[in-house]
Amino acid sequence: MSYLEATNDLYKQAALTPDVGLCCTTNPVWQLPGLSIPVVMQEMNYGCGSTVSASDLVNEPKVLYVGVGGGMELLQFAYFSRQVGGVTGVDVVDEMLEACKKNFRIAEKENSWFKSEFVNLLKGDALNLPIESESVDVAAQNCLFNIFKTEDLKKAVAEMYRVLKPRGRLVMSDPVCEQPMNDALRNDDRLRAQCLSGSIPIKEYVKVLTDAGFGTIEIRARKSYRVLSPNHYPTEELIHIESIEIAAIKDPMPDDGPCVFTGKTAIYFGGEPYFDDTKGHVLLQNQPLAVCDKTAAALAELSDEIHISESTWHYDGGGCC
């Protein structure tokens, strides 16, 4: 059995019998005016964060969600895109698609505004999406891509890039890990399917996205997620896993490389009213400006009267690049 087959089997069982502890997120469930999320959807919330952000979902966008889970995030996306087929969910596991359909019928009873026809469920593979090129405004996945081994991860990201419209965005939540993992962990198909042993460092994750062509990367959140301890797993040291929420925007790639926002801020404290680097960045006296890591490094080289903060790993927009 391949690791992908092991993953499909795990989520087949999770569809037939909700596994509340499979993926535990510390995120509160979105509570929006007029939105009621059925309990069974919350029990089948197999993610490590959230991919739903109101700022991404203006003007009823076309949304693609890969790996449907119990349908919770599909319902949340439909809240912002109330149109027939406004949201598409793709999953390779028949049982998960069927469970999702049943959950939508419950959601219809709890939400007067919701209709199952708002969400189009398709059987499909993340490595070969059954979606037209450049037809989606927002694509999302939650706690799925970390399962993929390197070459499959590249294929999955390339597929998301393909289906997105220009300026569209890929929004993801995934476990990451800065510590190296031994072969016993990496090659354990079940641990990989459980979103544990496939975690890679953030820089590697970002590189896969930028290599696919995404010109702007926003790291929106970084939180503690799990530990792999020697008394429970085949490791001699404690391994800390975090979850990140990240958006990759299909902007043209800048000549000097991608813009990666990790929560850095620049503050000019010199004697003039403002500082202009003549490259589009104007810093007003003692006013913080969110900047990408590339711009932060360039500003630090230009002046010793600019304070550059450390990465907060919680970027929520604004600033310039």
Side-chain angles (χ1 to χ4, degrees):
M1 180 183 293
S2 71
Y3 84 95
L4 291 176
E5 289 172 328
T7 299
N8 293 345
D9 184 63
L10 178 73
Y11 285 93
K12 173 183 176 179
Q13 297 306 316
L16 296 173
T17 305
D19 187 348
V20 178
L22 181 60
C23 291
C24 176
T25 170
T26 57
N27 279 25
V29 174
W30 269 90
Q31 299 294 335
L32 298 165
L35 173 62
S36 174
I37 299 175
V39 172
V40 66
M41 283 187 174
Q42 297 181 45
E43 292 176 345
M44 296 177 69
N45 177 20
Y46 303 138
C48 62
S50 177
T51 62
V52 182
S53 173
S55 62
D56 296 328
L57 301 170
V58 296
N59 300 321
E60 293 196 323
K62 290 289 186 178
V63 180
L64 168 67
Y65 188 71
V66 181
V68 299
M72 187 182 81
E73 286 188 281
L74 289 168
L75 177 63
Q76 292 170 323
F77 281 125
Y79 180 91
F80 293 95
S81 189
R82 303 182 187 188
Q83 55 185 313
V84 176
V87 180
T88 297
V90 173
D91 205 299
V92 74
V93 180
D94 290 321
E95 291 80 4
M96 195 64 79
L97 290 167
E98 186 58 33
C100 206
K101 290 178 183 177
K102 292 179 181 178
N103 293 347
F104 285 155
R105 289 195 285 271
I106 299 171
E108 283 184 319
K109 295 177 181 178
E110 295 187 14
N111 295 272
S112 60
W113 60 268
F114 177 68
K115 298 178 181 179
S116 292
E117 63 188 17
F118 291 168
V119 183
N120 182 28
L121 293 175
L122 297 176
K123 182 171 182 178
D125 189 339
L127 308 181
N128 187 24
L129 291 170
I131 305 294
E132 292 183 10
S133 298
E134 297 190 356
S135 62
V136 174
D137 298 296
V138 177
Q141 67 83 21
N142 194 336
C143 213
L144 170 63
F145 281 15
N146 75 98
I147 294 172
F148 294 136
K149 294 183 178 180
T150 302
E151 291 308 311
D152 288 337
L153 174 60
K154 291 178 180 178
K155 290 178 184 177
V157 170
E159 276 292 274
M160 291 293 223
Y161 186 89
R162 176 184 66 80
V163 303
L164 279 169
K165 298 176 184 178
R167 310 287 181 179
R169 55 191 59 204
L170 169 58
V171 188
M172 299 167 290
S173 178
D174 260 327
V176 293
C177 182
E178 302 302 320
Q179 296 169 260
M181 291 194 192
N182 60 43
D183 290 343
L185 290 171
R186 290 292 188 201
N187 296 327
D188 188 313
D189 291 345
R190 187 165 182 83
L191 289 181
R192 185 175 283 273
Q194 291 174 332
C195 301
L196 295 175
S197 64
S199 306
I200 60 176
I202 291 177
K203 284 186 177 180
E204 291 182 25
Y205 195 104
V206 169
K207 188 175 188 304
V208 172
L209 297 171
T210 56
D211 284 351
F214 290 100
T216 302
I217 308 295
E218 301 177 352
I219 298 180
R220 297 175 169 181
R222 181 177 181 177
K223 306 172 184 178
S224 185
Y225 179 61
R226 289 284 196 279
V227 292
L228 303 181
S229 58
N231 58 322
H232 291 293
Y233 299 93
T235 175
E236 294 182 358
E237 64 173 345
L238 191 72
I239 296 176
H240 180 221
I241 299 174
E242 299 171 290
S243 69
I244 57 168
E245 294 172 14
I246 187 168
I249 301 171
K250 195 175 179 178
D251 288 334
M253 184 65 68
D255 293 338
D256 59 350
C259 300
V260 180
F261 288 86
T262 64
K264 288 184 180 292
T265 301
I267 301 179
Y268 170 63
F269 57 87
E272 301 299 322
Y274 63 88
F275 178 89
D276 186 349
D277 71 350
T278 71
K279 295 182 179 179
H281 309 108
V282 178
L283 280 70
L284 299 178
Q285 170 70 247
N286 209 27
Q287 295 295 311
L289 180 70
V291 291
C292 74
D293 290 9
K294 178 179 61 180
T295 297
L299 290 172
E301 288 291 323
L302 284 175
S303 172
D304 58 4
E305 295 181 323
I306 298 176
H307 175 268
I308 305 295
S309 72
E310 297 294 328
S311 297
T312 63
W313 307 102
H314 289 78
Y315 174 74
D316 58 2
C320 63
C321 187

